Amino acid sequence: MSQHSLYTMEEEMRRGYITIQGGHRVGIAGKAVLEGGSVKLIRDITSFNIRIAREKQGTADPVLPLIIQNGLVANTLIIGPPQSGKTTLLRDLARKISYGSKALPAKKVSIVDERSEIAGCVGGIPQKDVGPRTDVMDACPKAEGMMMMIRSMSPEVLITDEIGRTEDGYALEEAIHAGISVITSVHGRDIKDITRRPLLSRILQSGVFHRYVVLTSSPKAGTVAALYDESFKECRERMRC
């Protein structure tokens, strides 16, 4: 899996996975070796979990119109349990926004891909189609990566996944105050579920998001179960949210 260059994978292995060609991710379990209270490496590997990265173009088609507000991409939080299609949706939203359409002119997109799941970069090259106007900061902590993209790549739309730390919230606010639209995701079953989590409460209370999209895996991954506005009011007539 490491192409006989295990040392080049040390940083990924320290985080518990390896990304291989095609954007597929191999989770690793074994004995963690600590240094200064943090994981230095994993040895005595006992288990692998191969996660196949499936690219499903068109997933964003029913969602994108819901998050366009006054001709711009609204700041959006995508909520869903594991395997509900959050990463697949983020990837396709990046592609659609980058290419542009009749409803939305093409935008410059920046992806901060901390776990190499959205673009599936290998050797710095995205293995998935994330659009021609998309820049990817791969394997970089979200908060730091967002600030780097804001300062250097002048994005119009910033996309990342799995927020939850306090510093993530500060970086999101910095992006929004700079006039950048943000799309990100979080694990959760519904709005009530995420509002109970202390680490997310400050981010949500700050009112940085204008749309909340709740996903479900039934009848298929990526199904929109509910849509909420910035006041957590459910949009019954979704196109008029």
Side-chain angles (χ1 to χ4, degrees):
M1 288 186 294
S2 67
Q3 300 296 308
H4 306 287
S5 299
L6 194 59
Y7 73 94
T8 65
M9 301 287 186
E10 285 182 355
E11 180 61 26
E12 283 190 316
M13 288 185 65
R14 186 179 67 80
R15 297 171 183 238
Y17 65 85
I18 291 174
T19 302
I20 62 176
Q21 188 169 359
H24 313 302
R25 192 176 73 170
V26 182
I28 298 170
K31 181 178 177 61
V33 178
L34 303 183
E35 184 178 84
S38 300
V39 176
K40 179 183 179 182
L41 57 90
I42 297 177
R43 71 179 192 191
D44 302 335
I45 295 172
T46 56
S47 305
F48 297 104
N49 177 42
I50 301 175
R51 181 171 179 175
I52 305 298
R54 293 182 174 88
E55 186 174 22
K56 295 184 179 180
Q57 295 189 0
T59 304
D61 290 351
V63 176
L64 187 58
L66 306 179
I67 64 172
I68 295 176
Q69 188 177 33
N70 300 323
L72 299 172
V73 178
N75 301 320
T76 302
L77 180 63
I78 298 169
I79 305 162
Q83 299 184 339
S84 60
K86 297 188 297 299
T87 302
T88 303
L89 177 56
L90 287 172
R91 182 188 303 120
D92 205 43
L93 282 170
R95 183 185 67 86
K96 292 281 290 184
I97 294 168
S98 181
Y99 276 105
S101 63
K102 292 182 179 179
L104 186 72
K107 306 287 185 183
K108 289 191 295 181
V109 179
S110 286
I111 295 175
V112 180
D113 201 1
E114 183 171 4
R115 291 176 294 184
S116 305
E117 289 185 305
I118 302 174
C121 288
V122 176
I125 300 173
Q127 304 294 293
K128 307 301 180 186
D129 183 4
V130 290
R133 298 170 182 83
T134 300
D135 303 301
V136 181
M137 185 66 72
D138 184 50
C140 181
K142 282 184 282 292
E144 186 174 354
M146 283 189 279
M147 296 307 299
M148 292 169 67
M149 288 302 212
I150 293 168
R151 293 167 181 159
S152 61
M153 303 310 295
S154 63
E156 295 173 274
V157 179
L158 182 65
I159 294 177
T160 188
D161 65 344
E162 303 303 337
I163 62 165
R165 296 174 297 182
T166 303
E167 54 266 35
D168 296 342
Y170 290 127
L172 288 172
E173 289 176 343
E174 187 71 23
I176 290 167
H177 293 326
I180 301 168
S181 298
V182 171
I183 305 175
T184 187
S185 67
V186 66
H187 279 306
R189 291 171 297 180
D190 49 37
I191 284 284
K192 291 182 179 178
D193 193 17
I194 65 170
T195 55
R196 297 190 189 103
R197 296 166 59 182
L199 289 176
L200 288 172
S201 61
R202 198 197 70 82
I203 299 175
L204 299 178
Q205 290 172 6
S206 66
V208 297
F209 294 110
H210 300 147
R211 294 288 185 274
Y212 297 88
V213 180
V214 181
L215 298 183
T216 179
S217 57
S218 177
K220 62 180 181 179
T223 299
V224 178
L227 176 70
Y228 298 85
D229 65 13
E230 61 269 21
S231 303
F232 302 107
K233 181 180 178 180
E234 186 172 3
C235 303
R236 300 292 181 182
E237 297 181 43
R238 290 180 178 174
M239 299 307 291
R240 299 181 180 179
C241 185

